Amino acid sequence: MAALLRGLRAGRLLRGLPSVVAAPASTNQQCSSLRRSFHCAALRLQDESKSDKSSASSSSSSSSSTTHHEHYQAHSSHQDTEAASQQDPDPNSSDREQDEEYETEEQLQAQILAAALEFVPLYGWSMEAIAAGAESLGLSSASTGMFPNGSGDLVLHFISQCNSKLTEILAEQHNQVQLGQAERKKTADFLRDAVETRLRMYIPYIETWPQAMSILLLPHNIPDSLKHLSTMVDDIWYYAGDRSTDMNWYTKRAVLTGLYNTTELVMLQDSSPDFKDTWAFLDNRIQDVVNMATTAKQMQSTGEAVAQGLMGAAVTLKNLTGLNQKR
Amino acid sequence: MHRAAHTALCDWPQFVRPAMIRQSLRCTGSLQTSSRAYSVIPPPRDREEEEMMHRMLRVDHAGEYGANRIYAGQMAVLGRSRTGPLIQQMWDQEKKHLAKFNEILAENRVRPTALLPLWNLAGFALGASTALLGKEGAMACTVAVEESISEHYNSQIRALMESDPERYTELLQMIKEFRDDEMDHHDTGLEHDAESLPGYWLLKNAIQLGCKAAIYVSQRV
């Protein structure tokens, strides 16, 4: 008899299932909604079996005059209200559980890549690192299927993470200067510090960084890597105080890109303690740029002086030869 | 109930003070970074709107820069003639427009167009060469260019009105003001015998075609 009741309840459950599935099926996240609905169904079945046990005990204690059918009706209404009240908290609780892990596929991918970074020194920038990262999160290593451009995704994710960290640091320094708690740095010093901070983020992965750079040079990765590079250079110049709106915008960014790339290459084959040769190279290059800018300015003022001198000479000649007279 | 109200009354400064401090810090930060307390461009909602806004600002900045150089070319030739003061006056207004766009571009981190050196040369050359045709030539060039620019601003105003007038109120106001200034220059040009130039129709259409091409290219590069 109890088995019959359980069977009837399971049937009602299965009838309720399509409605749960049909409602969220209109959204794009069918997999997650199906998972959630199965989760709900599993919870409900669990609860029903629990209440089934309690009902069995209560039915034995209640008077035997109530027919099983009536008891079933009363119990089904009780179950309905229970299920109805549980249907609302159930999706929420399962949502809350899943919210702690991820909300969108992108967040899950970001989590897997972040976990994979720990395995990069061991496996290099490769699918193995991503698989190890997925396994360390408790997911199957088949999650690498989410990354068709595996090693490229990993390197680009790391680079964008470094850029965000750099932007945070620069914004914090900017706030300190605004609040008057810190002195404004000179442009050359600011650039040197910004490039040094950014390159220091590569130090933990410096052994495998040549592999990462070659991955970034693959044709399908070039657009993304150029975009990351250009946004980083733009951020550094913005916080250095550059507000130019003419060709200087382009020349400044080109100069900083050259600085950054050459220093990165020097860093790869630097074996001095704490990379002090690299920072010395960076200092020298920045000094070169400053010298060039000063020379350009001096040349411009010299040129203007020379032009004025020539004009003066021409006017004097005209006066001497009498061509400048008004008739 | 009484105790709850009491604790609520005592506790609210704890919640308000940190928020107030944060708010005041944010306010001083933004006041110090810009000379005004408001911004003409609303903060972008998403990538698409940011792209659209940046493209608009880039081409407007290029347009004002080009107009500036055209007037500079005209002044280089006609600066000491009778029309000198008139051209100088129109040039000063364009300088104000350019300064405003420079400010907006710097604030919103918009990339200026890479063709600026080209517009520098081309604008100066156009202004100087039309001024060599005399006062009527310079006025005809002014009429043609200002008509193109006004048409361009009008299409931008239409686009902004179609998408969301309330969101872009300040920007719309600014563009309308600039468009009215350009129309004034256009009318001034007509008043000063632009149409009496021989070949006026040909010159005007050639210049307007060049302006259209410049606008098209500056939006993309």
Side-chain angles (χ1 to χ4, degrees):
Chain A
M1 201 43 178
L4 178 63
L5 282 174
R6 232 177 276 134
L8 281 167
R9 260 182 235 126
R12 197 167 34 80
L13 203 66
L14 286 170
R15 252 183 288 128
L17 199 54
S19 62
V20 176
V21 174
S26 54
T27 70
N28 289 337
Q29 301 179 353
Q30 289 202 15
C31 293
S32 55
S33 68
L34 271 174
R35 244 180 278 134
R36 217 176 296 139
S37 58
F38 278 125
H39 194 74
C40 290
L43 276 176
R44 263 207 287 187
L45 195 56
Q46 210 178 31
D47 286 328
E48 298 230 9
S49 63
K50 264 190 249 154
S51 52
D52 190 22
K53 286 199 198 84
S54 64
S55 77
S57 57
S58 62
S59 68
S60 59
S61 63
S62 69
S63 65
S64 53
S65 59
T66 55
T67 60
H68 285 288
H69 183 67
E70 267 179 312
H71 187 79
Y72 174 67
Q73 288 278 26
H75 213 74
S76 71
S77 61
H78 169 68
Q79 283 294 336
D80 269 339
T81 51
E82 207 181 356
S85 65
Q86 275 185 349
Q87 185 146 20
D88 284 17
D90 258 356
N92 285 349
S93 70
S94 66
D95 260 350
R96 236 176 281 122
E97 278 173 38
Q98 288 179 338
D99 277 354
E100 285 162 48
E101 296 170 11
Y102 62 95
E103 265 178 15
T104 65
E105 196 180 307
E106 279 147 15
Q107 282 191 354
L108 175 64
Q109 286 185 342
Q111 280 183 350
I112 295 182
L113 290 175
L117 284 177
E118 287 173 29
F119 298 92
V120 161
L122 185 55
Y123 295 115
W125 301 89
S126 60
M127 280 301 213
E128 283 93 19
I130 301 180
E135 275 169 4
S136 79
L137 284 179
L139 303 162
S140 99
S141 62
S143 337
T144 55
M146 274 201 284
F147 305 102
N149 181 23
S151 45
D153 281 336
L154 188 54
V155 180
L156 290 170
H157 172 261
F158 174 62
I159 291 207
S160 78
Q161 210 179 46
C162 289
N163 286 347
S164 319
K165 264 192 274 186
L166 179 70
T167 312
E168 259 174 51
I169 293 174
L170 291 178
E172 182 54 43
Q173 285 178 4
H174 184 72
N175 278 342
Q176 299 255 319
V177 170
Q178 296 280 26
L179 293 173
Q181 288 171 7
E183 282 298 314
R184 206 183 164 78
K185 286 192 233 178
K186 279 181 17 198
T187 309
D189 293 335
F190 185 93
L191 292 181
R192 203 224 17 241
D193 289 340
V195 174
E196 189 182 322
T197 312
R198 179 64 175 75
L199 285 176
R200 276 189 185 277
M201 296 182 197
Y202 289 162
I203 290 184
Y205 304 95
I206 197 69
E207 303 291 319
T208 48
W209 197 247
Q211 184 197 7
M213 283 183 76
S214 60
I215 290 173
L216 285 178
L217 285 175
L218 291 173
H220 53 267
N221 287 329
I222 284 185
D224 283 324
S225 71
L226 282 180
K227 190 167 60 89
H228 284 307
L229 180 63
S230 60
T231 46
M232 178 196 75
V233 166
D234 187 39
D235 278 339
I236 294 181
W237 268 119
Y238 176 74
Y239 285 110
D242 173 48
R243 299 285 180 274
S244 54
T245 50
D246 52 4
M247 273 325 265
N248 281 328
W249 193 95
Y250 289 90
T251 50
K252 281 179 172 172
R253 278 149 185 79
V255 160
L256 184 58
T257 309
L259 262 172
Y260 176 82
N261 282 337
T262 50
T263 313
E264 196 182 0
L265 286 172
V266 164
M267 193 170 156
L268 285 182
Q269 44 82 48
D270 186 15
S271 51
S272 60
D274 194 36
F275 298 94
K276 60 179 177 49
D277 283 348
T278 309
W279 314 134
F281 174 85
L282 180 60
D283 278 334
N284 289 338
R285 294 292 78 72
I286 290 192
Q287 205 49 48
D288 286 344
V289 169
V290 168
N291 287 344
M292 254 193 340
T294 326
T295 313
K297 225 179 288 186
Q298 281 175 346
M299 264 176 55
Q300 197 185 13
S301 53
T302 310
E304 275 168 16
V306 164
Q308 274 186 351
L310 283 174
M311 288 293 284
V315 168
T316 311
L317 265 177
K318 274 168 73 176
N319 284 339
L320 284 176
T321 56
L323 286 171
N324 211 15
Q325 291 179 11
K326 283 200 173 63
R327 275 183 222 98
Chain B
M1 164 66 186
H2 189 69
R3 182 168 318 183
H6 188 254
T7 48
L9 276 172
C10 290
D11 278 349
W12 74 261
Q14 275 183 6
F15 303 124
V16 174
R17 223 177 288 124
M20 272 175 11
I21 292 177
R22 246 176 283 130
Q23 186 70 17
S24 62
L25 278 178
R26 222 177 296 136
C27 283
T28 50
S30 64
L31 275 174
Q32 281 173 339
T33 49
S34 74
S35 54
R36 309 172 321 260
Y38 71 97
S39 169
V40 177
I41 314 292
R45 271 185 295 236
D46 52 26
R47 195 93 206 140
E48 220 178 273
E49 193 197 355
E50 196 184 2
E51 291 287 326
M52 189 264 292
M53 208 33 71
H54 282 205
R55 212 172 294 144
M56 255 179 57
L57 293 170
R58 190 173 307 136
V59 73
D60 286 347
H61 174 254
E64 293 297 344
Y65 183 79
N68 230 329
R69 296 309 296 158
I70 291 177
Y71 283 120
Q74 287 184 347
M75 276 304 281
V77 175
L78 289 174
R80 270 170 286 212
S81 72
R82 279 174 302 133
T83 32
L86 178 66
I87 302 179
Q88 181 67 47
Q89 191 191 11
M90 292 198 282
W91 190 15
D92 290 336
Q93 276 186 318
E94 297 294 345
K95 280 190 203 159
K96 272 207 301 244
H97 291 184
L98 182 62
K100 182 77 181 151
F101 272 118
N102 277 335
E103 205 183 299
I104 293 180
L105 254 68
E107 237 176 76
N108 292 281
R109 299 176 63 170
V110 180
R111 169 182 71 88
T113 170
L115 297 169
L116 280 178
L118 178 62
W119 304 143
N120 187 357
L121 284 173
F124 194 87
L126 178 64
S129 55
T130 48
L132 283 172
L133 296 173
K135 170 193 150 199
E136 290 81 15
M139 291 299 134
C141 171
T142 304
V143 166
V145 170
E146 300 293 3
E147 200 175 300
S148 291
I149 290 191
S150 302
E151 217 177 283
H152 170 68
Y153 278 149
N154 277 333
S155 67
Q156 280 191 345
I157 292 173
R158 260 194 298 270
L160 289 175
M161 294 288 275
E162 271 169 14
S163 77
D164 194 348
E166 278 106 44
R167 189 171 159 74
Y168 303 117
T169 340
E170 287 114 358
L171 179 62
L172 273 171
Q173 195 184 3
M174 188 187 88
I175 296 186
K176 280 181 193 163
E177 197 185 307
F178 287 5
R179 191 241 2 232
D180 293 339
D181 284 342
E182 309 292 359
M183 285 309 287
D184 274 340
H185 294 176
H186 172 262
D187 296 337
T188 310
L190 283 178
E191 275 167 32
H192 286 83
D193 312 322
E195 284 160 330
S196 61
L197 177 76
Y200 167 75
W201 184 88
L202 190 63
L203 182 68
K204 176 163 178 268
N205 279 306
I207 293 177
Q208 286 191 330
L209 195 65
C211 286
K212 279 203 191 72
I215 289 174
Y216 180 85
V217 170
S218 286
Q219 267 173 341
R220 280 154 185 81
V221 175

